[in-house]
Amino acid sequence: MHGWMWVWHESHHKPRKGKFELNDLFGFMFALPSIYLIIMGAEDFDWRFFAGLGIALYGLSYFLVHDVFVHQRIKWFKHVNPGYFRAMRQTHHLHHAVHTKEGAQAFGFLFVKRKFYKKYAHE
């Protein structure tokens, strides 16, 4: 997303104007092959079904953790604040401290690096 797809992702590093941003197109981009693979593999439950299911589960995880929990675009997990999750949220905010294509801190989607856990989990 910080490479050639920055054209879409850049909107995620700027203040949002409205409910949606260009970066949200990634969800549709991954949903299409997921749906296709699930449908094509459903009759025999072959590799296509499970590959499509894997893409869908990753997308669901990304939506719940990134959009709902970290960015609070939907206020479902607003008061969830155990140390690991606090560290996850804070580390992702470090990623957003840079508004350019280069120099953004890699944050890890579900896994918080030890150095960030030690720094943010007990604040």
Side-chain angles (χ1 to χ4, degrees):
M1 291 180 183
H2 283 254
W4 62 278
M5 290 304 298
W6 180 253
V7 173
W8 288 1
H9 187 62
E10 181 180 20
S11 67
H12 187 60
H13 284 264
K14 294 183 175 182
R16 191 170 350 126
K17 299 170 186 166
K19 288 188 173 255
F20 299 101
E21 55 194 36
L22 196 56
N23 187 68
D24 293 334
L25 289 175
F26 282 111
F28 292 105
M29 186 175 83
F30 290 110
L32 294 175
S34 174
I35 293 166
Y36 174 79
L37 289 168
I38 289 170
I39 291 169
M40 296 307 292
E43 187 174 327
D44 298 324
F45 291 107
D46 63 15
W47 68 271
R48 296 172 295 183
F49 175 82
F50 294 103
L53 187 62
I55 295 168
L57 290 174
Y58 178 85
L60 177 63
S61 300
Y62 186 87
F63 171 72
L64 290 174
V65 172
H66 181 263
D67 291 335
V68 176
F69 176 71
V70 172
H71 286 291
Q72 296 291 298
R73 288 179 73 179
I74 299 173
K75 309 293 185 205
W76 291 344
F77 305 116
K78 189 173 184 168
H79 301 292
V80 174
N81 209 24
Y84 186 82
F85 295 114
R86 185 172 38 255
M88 182 188 294
R89 188 178 280 150
Q90 287 302 116
T91 302
H92 189 74
H93 292 310
L94 287 176
H95 173 75
H96 282 276
V98 175
H99 300 287
T100 61
K101 185 176 175 179
E102 292 82 20
Q105 175 70 42
F107 65 93
F109 169 45
L110 294 174
F111 302 101
V112 176
K113 292 180 182 178
R114 183 179 305 253
K115 69 180 182 178
F116 295 125
Y117 179 79
K118 287 180 180 179
K119 183 174 182 177
Y120 296 118
H122 304 292
E123 287 185 348

